[in-house]
């Protein structure tokens, strides 16, 4: 969810960038801009920075676990291959 303070700040920046005649319409313009921005951001299905960082940490942990499992699998495969080689020699 978008922080309401940031949304208000963004709406204010958009209002300030409008031509002088429209800008003087006041709070109604800023409220309408804020409403349009809020609706558009809601459609975008955005995630918060906190959620993004949490997912990034989870991904890094998962990748680390996968690397450990791959090493373990390679080790087990080596043991099996070695055992097979020994059996065929005898």
């Amino acid at each position: 969810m978008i922080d309401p303070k940031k949304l208000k700040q963004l709406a204010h920046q958009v209002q300030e960038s409008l031509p002088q005649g429209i800008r003087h319409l006041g709070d109604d313009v800023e409220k309408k801009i804020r409403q349009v921005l809020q609706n558009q951001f809601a459609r975008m299905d955005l995630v918060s920075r906190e959620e993004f960082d949490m997912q990034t940490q989870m991904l890094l942990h998962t990748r680390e676990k996968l690397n450990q499992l791959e090493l373990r699998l390679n080790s087990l495969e080596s043991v099996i291959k070695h055992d097979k080689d020994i059996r065929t020699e005898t």
Side-chain angles (χ1 to χ4, degrees):
M1 176 111 199
I2 302 291
D3 181 8
K5 288 181 184 179
K6 290 187 181 198
L7 190 59
K8 185 174 182 173
Q9 181 184 15
L10 184 57
H12 182 71
Q13 288 174 343
V14 170
Q15 182 185 12
E16 289 297 314
S17 68
L18 293 173
Q20 198 77 6
I22 297 174
R23 197 180 326 161
H24 288 296
L25 294 175
D27 289 339
D28 290 340
V29 172
E30 187 175 334
K31 285 178 186 176
K32 186 64 177 173
I33 292 170
R34 201 173 355 173
Q35 184 181 37
V36 169
L37 288 172
Q38 196 168 20
N39 289 340
Q40 292 303 315
F41 285 141
R43 277 191 191 168
M44 289 182 192
D45 197 24
L46 301 173
V47 296
S48 68
R49 182 62 165 170
E50 185 178 289
E51 186 177 351
F52 176 81
D53 290 342
M54 186 175 69
Q55 291 294 325
T56 300
Q57 288 301 315
M58 194 180 310
L59 178 60
L60 289 173
H61 177 73
T62 303
R63 185 171 296 179
E64 187 177 303
K65 193 78 166 171
L66 176 62
N67 288 338
Q68 290 172 358
L69 288 170
E70 285 178 337
L71 288 172
R72 188 171 172 202
L73 178 61
N74 288 338
S75 175
L76 291 170
E77 286 175 338
S78 293
V79 168
I80 290 170
K81 185 179 183 317
H82 180 72
D83 284 352
K84 280 184 179 179
D85 291 345
I86 291 175
R87 285 185 195 157
T88 56
E89 287 178 6
T90 53

